[in-house]
Amino acid sequence: MANLKTTEKKSKAQSMGMHSEVLTGRTQQKFFNPDEAENFYYFGTYEVDFNKRTELDVKNMEAPEANKKIDSLMSEGYGTIVIKNPQGKHSLGVGILNKLNLIFEGSLGYFGVGSCDGPSVRINGRVGWSCAQNLMAGKVVVEKNAGSSFGAAIRGGDLICKGSVGARTGIDMKGGTIIVGGDAGAFTGFMMQRGRIIVLGDVGINLGDSMYDGNIFIGGKIGSFGSDAVTSDLTSSDKDWLKRKLKVAEIDENFDVSKMTKIVAGKKLWNYDNLEPTEKKGAI
Amino acid sequence: MAKKIKKKIKNKKEKKIKLGTSKETAREKMIGQHIGYRYDVNMLPDYKKITPFLKKYVEAMGWDDLNWLEDVHMGYEEGRPAVFCRNANGWVTIPKKIKLPNDQQSRDMIARELLIKFQMSPKHPLVDLKKAYKKG
């Protein structure tokens, strides 16, 4: 319980008895040797060759079977896999923790290429809800439109949709970059904590609602701003980065980035460091 | 006059020793403690400062840019420069023998390179975990 009598003398945090809290993680210097030999693969992942290519027809397969087959092909060293007839199946291409060139000749259903870490994926069709959710690293390119919650909770990597996306794009994202060539729906960047969203077209209502950190760049019209989302000045470093990213994304390289609107957090909702220790004490 | 100049130099030295420990932002002053992981999470990378190692890494992965490493920055833990490893869920402190440049952009590039080396090392804590718990 906060000591309300002494709040005048002490800071708000001190009166709540928070000063025993130390914001540190585990130090792991003992594991670290900066002179390690160059090795660009995670320990225990498959060594694949991008030039070794194969095709996989998943027309008569369920998603778990197809995903196991992809894993098996990677273990044989195939670095480029083309998936034929995905036919909008859900949860295809999930959990790939390897570098890989994966191409889908068609559209995906819900939760396509979720929880991946490393692959470069190209989808020559549309995707349903929550495409590439929890992406850690890699690149996902969707040639047509995407459903809602596009890139939900991604941590890293590049997620590109050349068409338009639904609502709640980048909800709860904690890193990475989402690039949309067309328009985006309502609540784009909802509760985003970090990372970057670029939308070249228009966005719906409540843009960046309750965002904690991160950057949103909008090329078109904005329906309305969400709670704590504010505009910020576009710096020269922002412009350079935007040009580079649009080139990487293969989307309209000649787009005039200087006319884009930058949206950041107003930081009025930054109360976690006050609330967390209090909640911990309550739980104990 | 000379004394005043000496004092100023002393203060600068003290600041260097307390790297990342002082309460500088309004938020830190308000809560009365230093936030160890404080750095600009929104800082975009300056590709002019990319290291040769990172160039090779990007090429090997088949990407066109730093990809997920854009979110990696050099932070400070217990007054020492460190980089956060999301896989080990802990700060990896930068060895003392590495001399760090003054600007944050160059430091971020070094942090990215060291993080890759740490994550790809057979000494990474996940290696033992994988051996113990990997299915199949």
Side-chain angles (χ1 to χ4, degrees):
Chain A
M1 185 72 187
N3 186 357
L4 297 174
K5 285 181 183 175
T6 54
T7 45
E8 282 177 12
K9 289 178 185 174
K10 293 177 180 177
S11 71
K12 194 178 171 187
Q14 281 171 324
S15 67
M16 291 167 84
M18 280 168 42
H19 285 257
S20 58
E21 286 284 332
V22 182
L23 293 170
T24 56
R26 285 179 295 144
T27 305
Q28 306 212 358
Q29 193 171 14
K30 61 181 178 177
F31 297 113
F32 183 64
N33 176 11
D35 303 322
E36 287 286 350
E38 286 177 14
N39 173 20
F40 298 139
Y41 303 96
Y42 283 116
F43 189 85
T45 54
Y46 308 120
E47 203 163 313
V48 296
D49 178 7
F50 284 144
N51 295 320
K52 206 174 166 190
R53 182 187 172 106
T54 186
E55 288 182 359
L56 176 66
D57 193 335
V58 296
K59 191 176 179 181
N60 299 314
M61 283 185 194
E62 293 289 321
E65 193 188 348
N67 292 334
K68 274 182 188 168
K69 188 69 188 162
I70 293 169
D71 191 69
S72 154
L73 289 169
M74 284 193 299
S75 71
E76 290 167 33
Y78 287 102
T80 302
I81 303 172
V82 182
I83 308 291
K84 299 269 183 187
N85 298 310
Q87 296 183 331
K89 288 191 174 83
H90 305 317
S91 308
L92 271 186
V94 298
I96 299 168
L97 314 176
N98 218 88
K99 75 169 200 171
L100 175 73
N101 205 0
L102 187 64
I103 300 153
F104 287 95
E105 296 282 352
S107 299
L108 298 185
Y110 304 159
F111 310 108
V113 290
S115 304
C116 285
D117 189 356
S120 291
V121 185
R122 184 174 296 274
I123 300 152
N124 294 327
R126 296 179 293 274
V127 292
W129 292 349
S130 287
C131 176
Q133 49 102 3
N134 284 296
L135 181 74
M136 296 287 277
K139 185 177 168 183
V140 177
V141 182
V142 180
E143 294 288 345
K144 291 179 182 173
N145 297 332
S148 293
S149 300
F150 184 65
I154 68 166
R155 261 82 168 165
D158 291 338
L159 182 52
I160 299 142
C161 177
K162 293 189 180 178
S164 295
V165 295
R168 302 182 298 281
T169 300
I171 178 173
D172 201 22
M173 68 187 283
K174 297 164 183 83
T177 308
I178 296 175
I179 306 167
V180 179
D183 301 332
F187 284 93
T188 297
F190 182 40
M191 293 196 296
M192 76 182 283
Q193 290 157 46
R194 201 169 165 179
R196 300 151 296 276
I197 298 177
I198 305 168
V199 181
L200 297 191
D202 302 338
V203 285
I205 56 166
N206 292 328
L207 172 68
D209 191 75
S210 308
M211 66 188 286
Y212 185 71
D213 227 322
N215 290 325
I216 304 175
F217 301 96
I218 305 296
K221 289 174 194 164
I222 296 167
S224 70
F225 288 100
S227 170
D228 208 28
V230 294
T231 54
S232 175
D233 293 333
L234 203 65
T235 64
S236 59
S237 131
D238 291 335
K239 288 174 198 167
D240 289 346
W241 179 83
L242 281 165
K243 279 179 193 165
R244 167 175 270 277
K245 271 292 165 190
L246 292 180
K247 198 176 173 186
V248 168
E250 307 154 27
I251 296 178
D252 205 355
E253 261 182 66
N254 301 320
F255 190 86
D256 186 4
V257 294
S258 62
K259 287 178 184 169
M260 293 188 95
T261 312
K262 182 181 176 184
I263 292 99
V264 296
K267 299 178 183 176
K268 285 180 184 168
L269 302 174
W270 282 28
N271 296 312
Y272 292 142
D273 42 1
N274 275 347
L275 290 172
E276 265 186 7
T278 322
E279 283 170 0
K280 272 183 207 164
K281 279 174 189 166
I284 292 164
Chain B
M1 193 68 186
K3 274 183 184 176
K4 274 185 181 177
I5 293 165
K6 268 189 180 178
K7 270 187 179 177
K8 274 183 183 175
I9 293 165
K10 216 180 179 184
N11 284 342
K12 272 187 182 177
K13 275 186 180 174
E14 276 175 7
K15 262 193 176 179
K16 270 191 178 177
I17 294 161
K18 289 176 180 175
L19 185 69
T21 54
S22 57
K23 299 172 192 77
E24 287 169 15
T25 64
R27 187 78 199 155
E28 285 172 323
K29 281 172 188 164
M30 188 263 194
I31 64 170
Q33 65 186 51
H34 165 69
I35 300 171
Y37 47 79
R38 176 176 47 75
Y39 47 84
D40 183 7
V41 297
N42 297 329
M43 185 183 269
L44 302 168
D46 183 355
Y47 278 83
K48 287 170 200 155
K49 291 180 177 169
I50 194 166
T51 64
F53 177 90
L54 289 172
K55 261 187 186 174
K56 275 188 195 172
Y57 172 76
V58 165
E59 277 170 26
M61 296 303 287
W63 296 331
D64 304 307
D65 63 359
L66 285 167
N67 205 276
W68 69 280
L69 289 168
E70 288 193 345
D71 293 293
V72 175
H73 301 270
M74 189 168 286
Y76 304 95
E77 193 232 14
E78 291 173 352
R80 286 180 298 175
V83 57
F84 192 79
C85 175
R86 63 191 182 187
N87 292 354
N89 194 28
W91 287 96
V92 184
T93 50
I94 306 300
K96 282 177 186 169
K97 64 178 178 181
I98 292 179
K99 278 194 173 180
L100 294 175
N102 285 331
D103 64 307
Q104 184 66 26
Q105 285 282 9
S106 302
R107 284 184 175 211
D108 287 349
M109 288 296 175
I110 289 170
R112 286 165 187 141
E113 180 172 329
L114 295 178
L115 181 62
I116 293 293
K117 286 182 174 172
F118 175 64
Q119 291 201 337
M120 306 297 171
S121 164
K123 290 176 190 166
H124 191 278
L126 278 195
V127 174
D128 289 334
L129 280 174
K130 229 174 196 178
K131 277 179 194 164
Y133 298 108
K134 194 182 175 187
K135 289 176 187 173

